[in-house]
Amino acid sequence: MISVSKTFYLSVFCLFSLALMKGQNKVPFGVVKAEEGYAMVRVHKDDYRKIIDKIRMKTGDVFVYEKPAPGETEWIWIKYPEKDDTEKPFVRYDSITKEGMVNKNRVVFVDQLPHFTPSKSKNGKSLIFTDDTNPKIPGNQRTKVIIDVYPSYAKLKKQEKDADGNIIKIDKVKSWGVGTELPEDLTEIKSIRVQQPGRGSVFVRDAIKNMFMPAMDFSNIGVTAIDNDHIFLYMINGSGANRYTTI
């Protein structure tokens, strides 16, 4: 994140994108929601619930829900990305390699948190999400997340393809939402801004680069929050075999 005024409590922005399996409509992303700010990751009870890792609220750790933990009632099985402890302005993940179980009372699914109210700009190119959960807060002081979507100039940039002809990188950065060719009506996310009274942030360009064909249908996109410092944007973008989900 780049600070526009006062910085957010969250110093790390995590972009987490995954290809969707055939017939899948969403991926149940989860985050920590615990007073202590973390949740321990453990192995199965057959191994005495040994602690193997920790996921944290402060660093924006995100996981994917897999299933109820076998033989457990208070635990769920999750998968999550390998973390790099080096401090960076943002971290971009596109795979999950670690797994374990967490206590379900210490986590929450992102799409089940209080939702921001969606709307579109007059020109239809910006998606605006406003926190209307507290009607006592004046409208001009409510948190807003603004996503700008514009035509893409990716065709003018260098493309890299795999052995099957699929475009895998554009301008040396992994691409999402495209196949073997770039469509004429290709769009991409140009910017994401968060506005709050006295402070605001803009997602660094490299964090959202090459996120093509973003959702414009509010059934496939949402913004939720735990509080003013923990805000989550999730999207199901692209179409057909090129659909992907990101948070």
Side-chain angles (χ1 to χ4, degrees), residues 32-218:
V32 175
K33 186 182 180 183
E35 186 176 346
E36 298 83 355
Y38 64 86
M40 296 297 188
V41 182
R42 300 173 183 265
V43 292
H44 193 263
K45 65 180 180 180
D46 292 346
D47 290 318
Y48 305 102
R49 294 184 180 147
K50 177 183 175 182
I51 296 173
I52 56 172
D53 211 342
K54 180 187 290 187
I55 53 176
R56 298 174 176 86
M57 177 189 295
K58 185 175 180 180
T59 53
D61 292 351
V62 177
F63 66 83
V64 176
Y65 169 74
E66 283 290 299
K67 58 186 177 182
E72 301 281 356
T73 57
E74 299 300 318
W75 301 77
I76 60 173
W77 199 259
I78 66 169
K79 289 189 176 181
Y80 58 103
E82 179 76 40
K83 292 196 62 69
D84 185 349
D85 291 332
T86 305
E87 286 195 16
K88 299 177 181 179
F90 70 92
V91 183
R92 183 168 175 161
Y93 301 107
D94 58 22
S95 64
I96 49 178
T97 57
K98 304 188 74 174
E99 59 184 306
M101 65 180 190
V102 295
N103 191 294
K104 63 183 181 182
N105 294 321
R106 301 182 70 84
V107 298
V108 65
F109 296 121
V110 169
D111 61 353
Q112 294 177 5
L113 291 166
H115 283 251
F116 285 26
T117 302
S119 61
K120 289 186 179 181
S121 61
K122 291 182 179 180
N123 64 8
K125 295 181 178 180
S126 296
L127 307 175
I128 304 167
F129 293 84
T130 305
D131 183 6
D132 292 327
T133 56
N134 186 352
K136 294 182 180 180
I137 298 178
N140 61 356
Q141 295 181 23
R142 298 179 184 180
T143 297
K144 290 186 178 182
V145 176
I146 303 167
I147 305 157
D148 299 315
V149 178
Y150 282 85
S152 173
Y153 294 99
K155 285 191 174 183
L156 304 178
K157 300 175 182 179
K158 182 180 178 180
Q159 301 176 19
E160 297 178 40
K161 295 188 176 184
D162 62 16
D164 297 321
N166 296 304
I167 300 170
I168 55 174
K169 288 186 179 181
I170 296 177
D171 200 18
K172 298 182 179 181
V173 176
K174 181 164 182 173
S175 56
W176 290 92
V178 293
T180 56
E181 302 292 336
L182 299 180
E184 292 296 328
D185 61 347
L186 185 67
T187 58
E188 67 177 304
I189 295 177
K190 290 296 185 180
S191 68
I192 300 177
R193 297 167 281 148
V194 183
Q195 297 179 353
Q196 289 181 309
R199 64 177 181 175
S201 287
V202 177
F203 285 18
V204 293
R205 178 61 190 155
D206 285 348
I208 57 175
K209 191 174 182 179
N210 292 352
M211 290 179 61
F212 297 114
M213 306 307 287
M216 300 299 287
D217 180 348
F218 291 132

